[in-house]
Amino acid sequence: MEIWSASPVMKNDEQEDNSDDQIRSECFRAAAGGRIGARLRAWRRNKNMTLDELALATGLNKSFLSRIEKDAKAPSIATVMKLSRALDIPVALLFGEQVADSDIHLVRTANRQPE
């Protein structure tokens, strides 16, 4: 069984300029086969946030966030939405889905075509 680190190791200043795709790839490897906790921890660390900072940004208790990261607690959808907003990432990334920007189509009500 292969174990992945939940936080990519930065060896020098040049590597801190990772593209979003590289960070996403590292987060998915960190959480491969895992649950939401490993993905949450990987994204939080990639955003250089402490649990205290994430707790402050979400209004959630630090110990509750810690339990989510350890997969000891399952977050509600509302909690996942708060986490995604605080981390500035799409909700789908916390669930382990990779969605290409080209797959997202916004259709305003006024522009909808009748079926």
Side-chain angles (χ1 to χ4, degrees):
M1 179 174 164
E2 198 168 316
I3 298 176
W4 293 92
S5 167
S7 174
V9 177
M10 299 288 177
K11 294 182 182 169
N12 58 41
D13 292 336
E14 293 174 22
Q15 290 180 326
E16 290 181 21
D17 294 329
N18 282 342
S19 71
D20 286 342
D21 290 337
Q22 288 171 322
I23 292 171
R24 286 180 182 178
S25 176
E26 290 168 359
C27 287
F28 284 110
R29 281 198 316 265
R35 297 174 67 178
I36 198 167
R39 287 185 288 276
L40 172 60
R41 179 177 289 138
W43 279 108
R44 177 180 60 80
R45 288 180 176 174
N46 275 308
K47 299 289 183 168
N48 294 316
M49 290 182 82
T50 64
L51 275 173
D52 286 320
E53 292 168 334
L54 186 57
L56 185 62
T58 59
L60 300 169
N61 185 289
K62 177 183 169 181
S63 64
F64 177 65
L65 293 173
S66 177
R67 285 180 279 160
I68 292 172
E69 285 190 354
K70 294 175 184 173
D71 287 320
K73 277 283 192 190
S76 67
I77 297 297
T79 297
V80 173
M81 291 176 69
K82 286 181 186 181
L83 293 168
S84 74
R85 278 192 295 265
L87 294 169
D88 194 31
I89 61 171
V91 172
L93 293 179
L94 289 173
F95 287 107
E97 291 185 29
Q98 287 184 320
V99 179
D101 290 340
S102 62
D103 292 339
I104 299 172
H105 304 281
L106 177 65
V107 179
R108 303 205 184 276
T109 304
N111 297 334
R112 287 191 185 151
Q113 300 295 321
E115 292 183 24

